[in-house]
Amino acid sequence: MAGIGSVFEALASQPRREILAYLSAQELTAGEIASRFAMSAPAISRHLSILESAGLVSSERRGQFVHYRLKADNLVNSLTGFAFEVCPTAGPLKRESRKLAKTGGKR
C-alpha cells in the first residue's frame, strides 16, 4: 500500500474526494465516472491514476472497459494509522492490542 503522504495528497483534491464518494457504493467504469463530472476524460484518468497510486481505488480491465472500485479497507486503515501516529494514547493502546492478540484476548 502507498504511504500516508500519498493518501493525503490524493485526498487534498476536491474532485478526487468526489470521485471517491461516487465510487463508495458501486463499481464504475472510467466512462461512467467521467459522465458524472464536468471535466475531460484525460483529467478523470489522471485523478483515477492518483487515487489508484495512493491505494484508495483499484481497477480491473474487463474487455475494453476499466472498472474502478473503492478500496475502503485501505482508506480506513490509512486514516486509522495516521490517527495512531498523532494520538498520545495510541502507543499504550497499540501495545495493549498486541498483548491481547498474543494471549488470545485474555488480559
Side-chain angles (χ1 to χ4, degrees):
M1 187 169 102
I4 194 73
S6 64
V7 171
F8 280 102
E9 185 176 326
L11 293 174
S13 163
Q14 179 70 28
R16 287 193 287 271
R17 290 192 305 270
E18 291 173 356
I19 290 169
L20 287 172
Y22 199 49
L23 285 170
S24 66
Q26 59 188 334
E27 181 179 282
L28 298 165
T29 66
E32 290 168 330
I33 296 167
S35 70
R36 170 60 176 82
F37 297 96
M39 65 181 86
S40 68
I44 290 288
S45 182
R46 281 192 302 274
H47 285 303
L48 288 168
S49 177
I50 291 168
L51 291 168
E52 190 167 18
S53 293
L56 299 175
V57 300
S58 62
S59 66
E60 180 182 345
R61 178 169 286 284
R62 294 187 209 142
Q64 65 181 8
F65 298 103
V66 178
H67 294 258
Y68 291 88
R69 76 183 67 69
L70 186 69
K71 292 173 72 175
D73 58 331
N74 286 352
L75 178 58
V76 169
N77 290 337
S78 295
L79 294 176
T80 301
F82 175 76
F84 283 167
E85 294 301 319
V86 298
C87 178
T89 60
L93 289 172
K94 287 169 79 173
R95 285 190 293 276
E96 181 180 338
S97 179
R98 281 192 297 266
K99 182 180 175 183
L100 288 173
K102 287 180 184 177
T103 61
K106 299 178 182 125
R107 290 183 185 256

XYZ file of all heavy atoms in Angstrom:
809
model
N 0.840 -1.177 0.000
C 0.000 0.000 0.000
C 0.883 1.238 0.000
O 1.993 1.231 0.503
C -0.917 -0.004 1.214
C -1.914 1.117 1.160
S -3.192 0.953 2.387
C -2.596 2.123 3.562
N 0.368 2.315 -0.550
C 1.100 3.568 -0.627
C 1.258 4.186 0.756
O 0.534 3.872 1.685
C 0.349 4.529 -1.541
N 2.217 5.098 0.862
C 2.451 5.777 2.123
C 1.341 6.754 2.455
O 0.571 7.173 1.582
N 1.287 7.123 3.713
C 0.233 8.014 4.182
C 0.304 9.374 3.488
O -0.721 9.998 3.242
C 0.274 8.142 5.728
C -1.015 8.772 6.261
C 1.473 8.938 6.184
C -2.177 7.853 6.201
N 1.520 9.806 3.118
C 1.665 11.083 2.420
C 0.932 11.095 1.095
O 0.261 12.073 0.750
N 1.048 10.003 0.337
C 0.363 9.953 -0.954
C -1.151 9.860 -0.776
O -1.905 10.345 -1.612
C 0.884 8.799 -1.810
O 0.597 7.561 -1.218
N -1.590 9.243 0.315
C -3.031 9.180 0.594
C -3.573 10.584 0.847
O -4.579 10.997 0.265
C -3.330 8.257 1.792
C -4.785 8.372 2.218
C -2.978 6.823 1.462
N -2.882 11.340 1.696
C -3.372 12.687 1.992
C -3.218 13.614 0.796
O -4.053 14.501 0.587
C -2.686 13.255 3.233
C -3.302 12.722 4.489
C -2.671 11.722 5.203
C -4.521 13.189 4.939
C -3.250 11.203 6.350
C -5.107 12.683 6.080
C -4.467 11.690 6.793
N -2.197 13.406 -0.011
C -2.052 14.193 -1.231
C -3.226 13.911 -2.168
O -3.803 14.827 -2.756
C -0.740 13.849 -1.927
C -0.458 14.694 -3.139
C 0.894 14.380 -3.753
O 1.836 14.051 -3.008
O 0.991 14.458 -4.982
N -3.607 12.650 -2.283
C -4.752 12.298 -3.124
C -6.036 12.896 -2.573
O -6.886 13.370 -3.334
C -4.870 10.779 -3.239
N -6.187 12.885 -1.258
C -7.404 13.399 -0.633
C -7.471 14.922 -0.611
O -8.519 15.499 -0.314
C -7.526 12.863 0.795
C -7.755 11.362 0.917
C -7.717 10.942 2.379
C -9.057 10.952 0.268
N -6.375 15.589 -0.932
C -6.341 17.054 -0.902
C -7.151 17.666 -2.045
O -7.486 18.842 -1.999
C -4.899 17.549 -0.963
N -7.473 16.882 -3.043
C -8.189 17.385 -4.211
C -9.693 17.154 -4.072
O -10.142 16.023 -3.867
C -7.674 16.661 -5.460
O -8.559 16.816 -6.530
N -10.462 18.227 -4.211
C -11.924 18.123 -4.147
C -12.473 17.153 -5.204
O -13.300 16.303 -4.866
C -12.559 19.512 -4.299
C -14.074 19.509 -4.271
C -14.644 19.186 -2.900
O -14.025 19.446 -1.869
N -15.824 18.603 -2.881
N -12.041 17.245 -6.460
C -12.560 16.287 -7.436
C -12.252 14.828 -7.072
O -13.096 13.949 -7.271
C -11.862 16.677 -8.743
C -11.513 18.113 -8.568
C -11.208 18.260 -7.097
N -11.090 14.574 -6.519
C -10.762 13.190 -6.139
C -11.621 12.725 -4.975
O -12.063 11.574 -4.938
C -9.271 13.056 -5.836
C -8.437 13.115 -7.108
C -7.019 12.692 -6.908
N -6.194 13.634 -6.196
C -5.502 14.615 -6.765
N -5.536 14.796 -8.078
N -4.753 15.409 -6.039
N -11.898 13.613 -4.022
C -12.804 13.235 -2.922
C -14.202 12.948 -3.468
O -14.870 12.022 -3.025
C -12.843 14.330 -1.858
C -11.546 14.444 -1.068
C -11.693 15.326 0.160
N -12.200 16.649 -0.124
C -11.458 17.722 -0.418
N -10.139 17.608 -0.480
N -12.020 18.889 -0.637
N -14.626 13.731 -4.446
C -15.933 13.499 -5.049
C -15.964 12.171 -5.814
O -16.959 11.446 -5.766
C -16.302 14.662 -5.973
C -16.585 15.943 -5.205
C -16.784 17.150 -6.101
O -16.632 17.031 -7.343
O -17.085 18.228 -5.557
N -14.894 11.848 -6.498
C -14.806 10.563 -7.202
C -14.878 9.421 -6.201
O -15.588 8.433 -6.416
C -13.529 10.487 -8.062
C -13.638 11.441 -9.263
C -13.264 9.050 -8.529
C -12.346 11.631 -10.025
N -14.171 9.549 -5.082
C -14.231 8.515 -4.047
C -15.657 8.355 -3.526
O -16.132 7.233 -3.326
C -13.283 8.847 -2.890
C -11.804 8.677 -3.178
C -10.984 9.217 -2.021
C -11.454 7.230 -3.466
N -16.330 9.465 -3.305
C -17.710 9.397 -2.825
C -18.604 8.717 -3.863
O -19.465 7.910 -3.519
C -18.233 10.802 -2.513
N -18.364 9.010 -5.137
C -19.158 8.419 -6.203
C -18.919 6.914 -6.306
O -19.806 6.155 -6.648
C -18.835 9.128 -7.514
C -19.856 8.950 -8.601
C -21.213 9.146 -8.361
C -19.466 8.611 -9.877
C -22.152 8.993 -9.362
C -20.397 8.453 -10.895
C -21.736 8.649 -10.632
O -22.661 8.493 -11.629
N -17.719 6.493 -5.973
C -17.381 5.067 -6.000
C -17.741 4.344 -4.706
O -17.587 3.137 -4.622
C -15.876 4.888 -6.257
C -15.386 5.132 -7.673
C -13.870 5.155 -7.705
C -15.943 4.093 -8.616
N -18.225 5.049 -3.720
C -18.414 4.451 -2.402
C -19.446 3.333 -2.369
O -19.351 2.439 -1.533
C -18.778 5.518 -1.372
O -20.036 6.075 -1.665
N -20.415 3.347 -3.261
C -21.467 2.339 -3.209
C -21.498 1.413 -4.408
O -22.300 0.500 -4.445
C -22.826 3.019 -3.060
N -20.621 1.685 -5.393
C -20.680 0.866 -6.600
C -19.373 0.908 -7.357
O -18.582 1.817 -7.213
C -21.809 1.348 -7.499
C -21.669 2.807 -7.917
C -22.885 3.322 -8.633
O -23.605 2.557 -9.238
N -23.111 4.619 -8.585
N -19.182 -0.093 -8.163
C -18.049 -0.168 -9.081
C -18.475 0.513 -10.373
O -19.597 0.316 -10.843
C -17.746 -1.639 -9.322
C -16.599 -1.894 -10.229
C -16.365 -3.380 -10.395
O -15.787 -4.003 -9.483
O -16.782 -3.914 -11.437
N -17.585 1.324 -10.948
C -17.923 2.065 -12.159
C -16.774 2.038 -13.147
O -15.609 1.929 -12.751
C -18.235 3.531 -11.817
C -19.420 3.789 -10.905
C -19.379 5.207 -10.370
C -20.710 3.526 -11.650
N -17.099 2.200 -14.416
C -16.064 2.340 -15.425
C -15.587 3.791 -15.430
O -16.278 4.691 -14.921
C -16.589 1.984 -16.828
O -17.577 2.950 -17.203
C -17.151 0.578 -16.877
N -14.435 4.007 -16.047
C -13.916 5.368 -16.154
C -14.907 6.249 -16.910
O -15.120 7.411 -16.552
C -12.554 5.358 -16.843
N -15.548 5.704 -17.939
C -16.538 6.467 -18.698
C -17.740 6.852 -17.865
O -18.269 7.962 -17.992
N -18.194 5.940 -17.029
C -19.330 6.243 -16.157
C -18.963 7.335 -15.153
O -19.785 8.208 -14.850
C -19.781 4.982 -15.420
C -20.439 3.964 -16.324
C -20.641 2.609 -15.678
O -19.838 2.212 -14.796
O -21.607 1.928 -16.072
N -17.751 7.280 -14.656
C -17.289 8.326 -13.726
C -17.202 9.655 -14.457
O -17.671 10.684 -13.970
C -15.939 7.937 -13.097
C -16.108 6.675 -12.242
C -15.369 9.092 -12.273
C -14.804 6.023 -11.835
N -16.607 9.633 -15.652
C -16.433 10.864 -16.430
C -17.775 11.500 -16.781
O -17.882 12.735 -16.819
C -15.635 10.574 -17.697
N -18.795 10.669 -17.003
C -20.100 11.230 -17.373
C -20.749 12.001 -16.229
O -21.617 12.832 -16.440
C -21.037 10.118 -17.853
O -21.418 9.290 -16.768
N -20.303 11.745 -15.021
C -20.871 12.400 -13.840
C -20.228 13.759 -13.556
O -20.823 14.615 -12.925
C -20.710 11.460 -12.642
C -21.026 12.035 -11.268
C -22.471 12.514 -11.181
N -22.828 12.967 -9.870
C -22.561 14.182 -9.384
N -21.885 15.047 -10.092
N -22.962 14.525 -8.182
N -18.990 13.952 -14.013
C -18.236 15.154 -13.680
C -17.978 16.013 -14.904
O -17.808 15.506 -16.005
C -16.900 14.761 -13.032
C -17.084 14.029 -11.732
C -17.071 12.639 -11.692
C -17.311 14.721 -10.552
C -17.263 11.962 -10.504
C -17.507 14.048 -9.361
C -17.485 12.667 -9.334
N -17.945 17.320 -14.691
C -17.717 18.273 -15.775
C -16.219 18.493 -15.967
O -15.688 19.561 -15.688
C -18.418 19.591 -15.466
N -15.538 17.435 -16.416
C -14.122 17.558 -16.743
C -13.798 16.573 -17.844
O -14.556 15.645 -18.097
C -13.232 17.377 -15.505
C -13.250 16.025 -14.848
S -12.184 15.937 -13.399
C -13.286 16.543 -12.131
N -12.673 16.775 -18.475
C -12.304 15.948 -19.624
C -11.960 14.517 -19.189
O -11.618 14.270 -18.030
C -11.096 16.564 -20.338
O -9.950 16.469 -19.511
N -12.053 13.616 -20.136
C -11.687 12.217 -19.869
C -10.227 12.100 -19.420
O -9.936 11.350 -18.481
C -11.963 11.351 -21.089
N -9.289 12.831 -20.042
C -7.905 12.750 -19.558
C -7.752 13.235 -18.111
O -6.962 12.686 -17.349
C -7.122 13.638 -20.525
C -7.918 13.615 -21.783
C -9.357 13.570 -21.315
N -8.515 14.254 -17.730
C -8.448 14.750 -16.346
C -8.980 13.687 -15.383
O -8.373 13.440 -14.334
C -9.240 16.049 -16.203
N -10.087 13.043 -15.733
C -10.628 11.961 -14.902
C -9.597 10.847 -14.791
O -9.352 10.311 -13.704
C -11.952 11.416 -15.495
C -13.069 12.437 -15.357
C -12.345 10.091 -14.860
C -13.583 12.650 -13.949
N -8.977 10.510 -15.902
C -7.969 9.455 -15.920
C -6.806 9.783 -14.986
O -6.325 8.922 -14.249
C -7.465 9.243 -17.342
O -6.530 8.211 -17.386
N -6.352 11.035 -14.997
C -5.262 11.452 -14.097
C -5.691 11.326 -12.641
O -4.938 10.839 -11.803
C -4.815 12.884 -14.413
C -3.901 12.987 -15.609
C -3.258 14.356 -15.719
N -4.235 15.444 -15.818
C -4.795 15.859 -16.950
N -4.494 15.293 -18.088
N -5.651 16.860 -16.935
N -6.902 11.774 -12.330
C -7.399 11.670 -10.954
C -7.483 10.207 -10.517
O -7.078 9.856 -9.405
C -8.770 12.338 -10.819
C -8.727 13.830 -10.819
N -7.988 14.567 -9.910
C -9.351 14.736 -11.617
C -8.150 15.853 -10.150
N -8.970 15.980 -11.180
N -7.999 9.349 -11.391
C -8.105 7.926 -11.057
C -6.733 7.298 -10.869
O -6.541 6.468 -9.980
C -8.901 7.184 -12.133
C -10.397 7.479 -12.154
C -11.037 6.939 -13.425
C -11.075 6.913 -10.912
N -5.777 7.711 -11.671
C -4.412 7.201 -11.542
C -3.808 7.582 -10.191
O -3.158 6.764 -9.527
C -3.554 7.747 -12.685
O -2.224 7.329 -12.537
N -4.029 8.814 -9.768
C -3.519 9.271 -8.467
C -4.192 8.507 -7.340
O -3.537 8.064 -6.390
C -3.708 10.795 -8.319
C -2.772 11.529 -9.285
C -3.486 11.243 -6.872
C -3.067 13.004 -9.449
N -5.497 8.318 -7.442
C -6.224 7.566 -6.411
C -5.754 6.114 -6.350
O -5.616 5.543 -5.269
C -7.732 7.636 -6.675
C -8.380 9.002 -6.463
C -9.801 9.020 -7.021
C -8.365 9.369 -4.985
N -5.489 5.543 -7.506
C -5.018 4.158 -7.533
C -3.600 4.056 -6.979
O -3.297 3.146 -6.201
C -5.090 3.601 -8.954
C -4.859 2.113 -9.020
C -5.224 1.515 -10.361
O -5.332 2.240 -11.364
O -5.396 0.279 -10.395
N -2.740 4.989 -7.329
C -1.371 5.002 -6.805
C -1.348 5.150 -5.290
O -0.466 4.624 -4.627
C -0.568 6.138 -7.438
O -0.386 5.902 -8.805
N -2.319 5.879 -4.762
C -2.411 6.072 -3.312
C -3.036 4.867 -2.614
O -3.101 4.817 -1.390
C -3.222 7.332 -3.000
N -3.521 3.899 -3.391
C -4.124 2.707 -2.805
C -5.561 2.895 -2.360
O -6.078 2.106 -1.584
N -6.212 3.945 -2.864
C -7.584 4.225 -2.447
C -8.620 3.575 -3.355
O -9.752 3.353 -2.940
C -7.813 5.738 -2.389
C -6.920 6.473 -1.400
C -7.126 7.972 -1.508
C -7.157 5.994 0.008
N -8.247 3.315 -4.594
C -9.121 2.604 -5.518
C -8.323 1.516 -6.220
O -7.088 1.576 -6.274
C -9.777 3.533 -6.581
C -10.629 4.601 -5.936
C -8.750 4.144 -7.485
N -9.023 0.544 -6.739
C -8.380 -0.479 -7.559
C -9.103 -0.524 -8.894
O -10.253 -0.085 -9.011
C -8.420 -1.846 -6.875
O -9.745 -2.261 -6.691
N -8.420 -1.037 -9.896
C -9.016 -1.122 -11.221
C -8.850 -2.527 -11.765
O -7.935 -3.260 -11.376
C -8.368 -0.111 -12.168
O -7.011 -0.445 -12.389
N -9.752 -2.875 -12.671
C -9.698 -4.175 -13.327
C -10.189 -3.995 -14.757
O -11.279 -3.461 -14.978
C -10.591 -5.172 -12.587
C -10.604 -6.541 -13.206
C -11.548 -7.493 -12.482
O -11.975 -7.190 -11.338
O -11.868 -8.523 -13.064
N -9.365 -4.415 -15.698
C -9.766 -4.335 -17.100
C -10.647 -5.537 -17.425
O -10.307 -6.669 -17.137
C -8.554 -4.319 -18.013
C -8.952 -4.279 -19.492
C -7.805 -3.994 -20.411
N -7.363 -2.621 -20.386
C -7.989 -1.594 -20.977
N -9.128 -1.810 -21.607
N -7.500 -0.391 -20.933
N -11.809 -5.240 -18.012
C -12.726 -6.277 -18.482
C -13.103 -5.918 -19.914
O -13.899 -5.006 -20.125
C -13.975 -6.352 -17.609
C -13.691 -6.810 -16.210
C -14.990 -7.034 -15.442
N -14.720 -6.780 -14.040
C -15.545 -6.178 -13.203
N -16.730 -5.773 -13.621
N -15.220 -5.995 -11.949
N -12.504 -6.629 -20.840
C -12.725 -6.305 -22.245
C -12.141 -4.940 -22.546
O -10.988 -4.666 -22.231
N -12.957 -4.071 -23.105
C -12.457 -2.738 -23.463
C -12.636 -1.705 -22.351
O -12.242 -0.553 -22.508
C -13.127 -2.256 -24.744
C -14.618 -2.033 -24.618
C -15.246 -1.584 -25.931
O -14.596 -1.579 -26.964
N -16.511 -1.199 -25.879
N -13.237 -2.102 -21.243
C -13.519 -1.161 -20.155
C -12.648 -1.437 -18.941
O -12.329 -2.587 -18.636
C -14.996 -1.242 -19.736
C -15.939 -0.880 -20.844
C -16.615 -1.870 -21.534
C -16.138 0.442 -21.201
C -17.481 -1.547 -22.564
C -16.997 0.772 -22.232
C -17.669 -0.219 -22.924
N -12.305 -0.367 -18.238
C -11.602 -0.480 -16.962
C -12.606 -0.127 -15.877
O -13.214 0.949 -15.900
C -10.373 0.458 -16.893
C -9.693 0.345 -15.541
C -9.395 0.131 -18.012
N -12.784 -1.052 -14.947
C -13.727 -0.855 -13.843
C -12.951 -0.436 -12.602
O -11.921 -1.037 -12.275
C -14.492 -2.153 -13.564
C -15.375 -2.552 -14.692
N -16.729 -2.351 -14.665
C -15.098 -3.112 -15.890
C -17.250 -2.779 -15.800
N -16.279 -3.255 -16.568
N -13.464 0.566 -11.892
C -12.836 1.076 -10.678
C -13.727 0.799 -9.491
O -14.945 0.874 -9.582
C -12.584 2.589 -10.800
C -11.520 2.907 -11.809
C -11.843 3.079 -13.146
C -10.191 3.001 -11.428
C -10.866 3.346 -14.081
C -9.208 3.268 -12.359
C -9.549 3.443 -13.686
O -8.579 3.695 -14.616
N -13.093 0.495 -8.372
C -13.836 0.282 -7.129
C -13.038 0.891 -5.982
O -11.819 0.961 -6.009
C -14.128 -1.191 -6.894
C -12.973 -2.020 -6.405
C -13.297 -3.488 -6.244
N -13.565 -4.204 -7.465
C -12.683 -4.499 -8.406
N -11.432 -4.105 -8.292
N -13.014 -5.172 -9.474
N -13.768 1.323 -4.983
C -13.176 1.889 -3.777
C -12.533 0.794 -2.952
O -13.103 -0.293 -2.807
C -14.276 2.571 -2.963
C -13.867 3.363 -1.734
C -13.106 4.608 -2.154
C -15.119 3.749 -0.974
N -11.358 1.050 -2.437
C -10.709 0.121 -1.515
C -10.903 0.691 -0.109
O -9.997 1.241 0.487
C -9.231 -0.034 -1.865
C -9.015 -0.752 -3.190
C -7.575 -0.770 -3.617
C -6.757 -1.696 -2.765
N -5.368 -1.798 -3.274
N -12.120 0.575 0.384
C -12.499 1.204 1.650
C -11.633 0.737 2.805
O -11.294 1.513 3.692
C -13.964 0.939 1.952
N -11.274 -0.531 2.826
C -10.459 -1.020 3.928
C -9.106 -0.334 3.954
O -8.587 -0.021 5.013
C -10.306 -2.540 3.870
C -9.684 -3.033 2.575
O -9.850 -2.369 1.535
O -9.035 -4.089 2.607
N -8.520 -0.036 2.800
C -7.234 0.653 2.782
C -7.370 2.099 3.244
O -6.510 2.613 3.936
C -6.628 0.615 1.387
C -6.083 -0.752 1.062
O -6.028 -1.624 1.917
N -5.688 -0.944 -0.173
N -8.432 2.760 2.867
C -8.651 4.129 3.306
C -8.821 4.186 4.814
O -8.188 5.001 5.486
C -9.887 4.708 2.608
C -10.285 6.128 2.996
C -9.139 7.090 2.719
C -11.523 6.541 2.238
N -9.631 3.316 5.344
C -9.837 3.282 6.791
C -8.532 2.966 7.503
O -8.171 3.604 8.493
C -10.938 2.260 7.164
C -10.985 2.022 8.659
C -12.277 2.743 6.664
N -7.794 1.991 6.994
C -6.525 1.629 7.623
C -5.524 2.773 7.561
O -4.792 3.009 8.518
C -5.943 0.374 6.967
C -6.743 -0.858 7.302
O -7.450 -0.896 8.307
N -6.645 -1.866 6.468
N -5.487 3.491 6.455
C -4.564 4.618 6.331
C -4.902 5.715 7.325
O -4.028 6.251 8.006
C -4.603 5.197 4.915
O -4.132 4.261 4.002
N -6.170 6.060 7.403
C -6.577 7.128 8.313
C -6.412 6.709 9.770
O -6.015 7.516 10.608
C -8.014 7.553 8.025
C -8.223 8.210 6.670
C -9.688 8.506 6.427
C -7.392 9.463 6.538
N -6.693 5.458 10.061
C -6.503 4.963 11.418
C -5.024 4.980 11.785
O -4.654 5.388 12.883
C -7.079 3.543 11.566
O -8.466 3.592 11.258
C -6.904 3.008 12.968
N -4.198 4.536 10.863
C -2.752 4.555 11.105
C -2.245 5.958 11.370
O -1.419 6.187 12.259
N -2.738 6.933 10.602
C -2.340 8.320 10.825
C -2.806 8.796 12.192
O -2.063 9.432 12.934
C -2.922 9.220 9.731
C -2.653 10.668 9.967
C -1.400 11.202 9.724
C -3.636 11.507 10.449
C -1.141 12.540 9.951
C -3.389 12.846 10.687
C -2.139 13.358 10.432
N -4.043 8.480 12.544
C -4.571 8.904 13.846
C -3.741 8.312 14.982
O -3.475 8.988 15.979
C -6.032 8.492 13.981
N -3.315 7.065 14.827
C -2.481 6.447 15.856
C -1.153 7.177 16.011
O -0.604 7.256 17.108
C -2.210 4.981 15.538
C -3.364 4.063 15.823
C -3.359 2.773 15.342
C -4.454 4.470 16.570
C -4.408 1.904 15.597
C -5.513 3.621 16.829
C -5.492 2.335 16.348
N -0.627 7.711 14.918
C 0.656 8.411 14.979
C 0.563 9.724 15.750
O 1.513 10.128 16.391
C 1.188 8.671 13.565
C 1.548 7.416 12.816
C 2.610 6.587 13.517
O 3.565 7.158 14.054
O 2.461 5.350 13.525
N -0.564 10.407 15.660
C -0.685 11.716 16.309
C -1.421 11.671 17.637
O -1.424 12.645 18.377
C -1.361 12.745 15.368
C -0.543 12.958 14.131
C -2.770 12.336 15.016
N -2.017 10.558 17.968
C -2.783 10.431 19.206
C -1.865 10.006 20.352
O -1.178 8.992 20.250
C -3.890 9.399 19.009
S -4.853 9.110 20.490
N -1.835 10.755 21.469
C -0.923 10.422 22.566
C -1.250 9.107 23.272
O -0.393 8.521 23.914
C -1.058 11.606 23.533
C -2.340 12.267 23.178
C -2.612 11.956 21.729
N -2.462 8.633 23.145
C -2.815 7.369 23.793
C -2.614 6.168 22.876
O -2.822 5.033 23.282
C -4.291 7.393 24.267
O -5.135 7.604 23.133
C -4.510 8.473 25.302
N -2.205 6.414 21.644
C -2.087 5.328 20.673
C -1.029 4.304 21.059
O -1.254 3.103 20.922
C -1.790 5.880 19.288
N 0.121 4.772 21.529
C 1.206 3.843 21.883
C 0.760 2.792 22.888
O 0.888 1.589 22.635
N 0.213 3.212 24.030
C -0.255 2.227 25.001
C -1.361 1.329 24.458
O -1.395 0.136 24.744
C -0.774 3.086 26.159
C -0.045 4.384 26.038
C 0.170 4.571 24.575
N -2.263 1.888 23.659
C -3.340 1.081 23.094
C -2.812 0.052 22.104
O -3.272 -1.087 22.083
C -4.384 1.973 22.417
C -5.242 2.811 23.354
C -6.084 3.792 22.557
C -6.113 1.925 24.218
N -1.834 0.458 21.283
C -1.245 -0.484 20.336
C -0.541 -1.617 21.078
O -0.663 -2.777 20.699
C -0.275 0.242 19.404
C -0.969 1.108 18.374
C -0.009 2.005 17.639
C 0.743 1.283 16.570
N 1.557 2.202 15.748
N 0.179 -1.275 22.155
C 0.861 -2.313 22.946
C -0.154 -3.245 23.594
O 0.018 -4.464 23.603
C 1.759 -1.674 23.999
C 3.041 -1.087 23.421
C 4.020 -0.675 24.506
N 3.530 0.445 25.297
C 3.657 1.734 24.940
N 4.254 2.049 23.808
N 3.194 2.683 25.714
N -1.237 -2.678 24.126
C -2.283 -3.494 24.745
C -2.915 -4.425 23.711
O -3.161 -5.605 23.971
C -3.349 -2.594 25.367
C -4.460 -3.359 26.048
C -5.511 -2.435 26.659
O -5.212 -1.255 26.925
O -6.637 -2.905 26.839
N -3.166 -3.890 22.527
C -3.766 -4.687 21.467
C -2.858 -5.845 21.059
O -3.311 -6.977 20.884
C -4.054 -3.790 20.258
O -4.611 -4.536 19.216
N -1.557 -5.563 20.921
C -0.613 -6.631 20.574
C -0.578 -7.700 21.656
O -0.548 -8.890 21.381
C 0.784 -6.057 20.348
C 0.949 -5.399 18.974
C 2.398 -5.114 18.682
N 3.002 -4.170 19.607
C 3.090 -2.869 19.405
N 2.601 -2.332 18.317
N 3.655 -2.091 20.290
N -0.602 -7.266 22.912
C -0.573 -8.211 24.037
C -1.817 -9.083 24.034
O -1.738 -10.310 24.205
C -0.463 -7.447 25.357
C -0.370 -8.326 26.573
C -0.260 -7.506 27.844
C -0.284 -8.399 29.058
N -0.256 -7.621 30.304
N -2.975 -8.478 23.814
C -4.223 -9.239 23.773
C -4.229 -10.235 22.609
O -4.725 -11.354 22.740
C -5.420 -8.318 23.671
C -5.773 -7.525 24.931
C -6.873 -6.525 24.652
C -6.165 -8.460 26.061
N -3.663 -9.832 21.493
C -3.604 -10.730 20.339
C -2.729 -11.942 20.642
O -3.055 -13.058 20.252
C -3.067 -9.982 19.124
N -1.639 -11.732 21.363
C -0.724 -12.834 21.713
C -1.343 -13.789 22.729
O -1.075 -14.972 22.715
C 0.585 -12.283 22.261
C 1.470 -11.664 21.217
C 2.745 -11.149 21.853
C 3.610 -10.441 20.844
N 4.799 -9.871 21.438
N -2.165 -13.247 23.624
C -2.736 -14.080 24.693
C -4.125 -14.596 24.336
O -4.796 -15.174 25.181
C -2.806 -13.295 26.012
O -3.655 -12.161 25.841
C -1.439 -12.883 26.490
N -4.566 -14.354 23.110
C -5.880 -14.827 22.698
C -7.025 -14.064 23.332
O -8.092 -14.614 23.549
N -6.803 -12.790 23.664
C -7.858 -11.956 24.221
C -7.940 -11.956 25.723
O -8.805 -11.337 26.304
N -7.018 -12.700 26.401
C -7.037 -12.718 27.864
C -6.124 -11.627 28.407
O -5.025 -11.442 27.950
C -6.554 -14.076 28.367
C -7.433 -15.202 27.902
C -6.887 -16.521 28.377
C -7.770 -17.608 27.849
N -7.069 -18.605 27.111
N -6.597 -10.917 29.401
C -5.803 -9.838 29.997
C -4.822 -10.347 30.961
O -4.616 -10.975 31.725
C -6.710 -8.816 30.664
C -7.483 -8.052 29.620
C -8.330 -6.993 30.302
N -9.138 -6.366 29.297
C -8.882 -5.170 28.800
N -7.910 -4.454 29.222
N -9.657 -4.683 27.878
